[in-house]
Amino acid sequence: MRQHVFIDHRPNAAALHAASAIALSIIVVTVMVNASDELLLGLVDVAVYGILGIIFQAVTLVILELVVPGRFRDLVAAPTFSTASLAVAATLIAVGAVNAAAIA
């Protein structure tokens, strides 16, 4: 992803990277707000739920790989913008929001 976003400047990769960052931020902020007031337990909450958020995002990407027509990797690496990347980005943010709601 680093190569596609920061070196090759692929717009679809940037959209998906941004959506993943937003989704994970929603999850982490929700955990921080609802975490234990004890420092150690609060840090454990953030770590555990952050890792779960990453796992759910990865599972979502695997599912999208199966349902998006064509090769998902080709969409990410495409030099031109595709509206499909917006649909995938919205899905990632929605999964993050649902995860956050489940935590709260």
Side-chain angles (χ1 to χ4, degrees):
M1 204 54 128
R2 178 185 169 279
Q3 175 77 28
H4 290 311
V5 174
F6 297 105
I7 297 170
D8 297 335
H9 306 289
R10 303 294 187 201
N12 300 320
L16 298 180
H17 179 70
S20 292
I22 291 167
L24 291 175
S25 296
I26 291 168
I27 294 167
V28 171
V29 167
T30 302
V31 172
M32 290 172 70
V33 169
N34 294 300
S36 173
D37 289 336
E38 267 187 60
L39 178 63
L40 184 59
L41 289 177
L43 291 173
V44 169
D45 287 345
V46 170
V48 168
Y49 286 112
I51 290 169
L52 284 174
I54 291 169
I55 291 169
F56 289 138
Q57 292 294 323
V59 169
T60 300
L61 287 171
V62 169
I63 292 169
L64 288 170
E65 176 78 40
L66 297 173
V67 300
V68 170
R71 286 192 47 188
F72 185 73
R73 293 170 194 259
D74 293 339
L75 170 67
V76 172
T80 57
F81 180 72
S82 170
T83 55
S85 67
L86 291 179
V88 172
T91 302
L92 291 173
I93 293 171
V95 168
V98 169
N99 289 335
I103 293 166

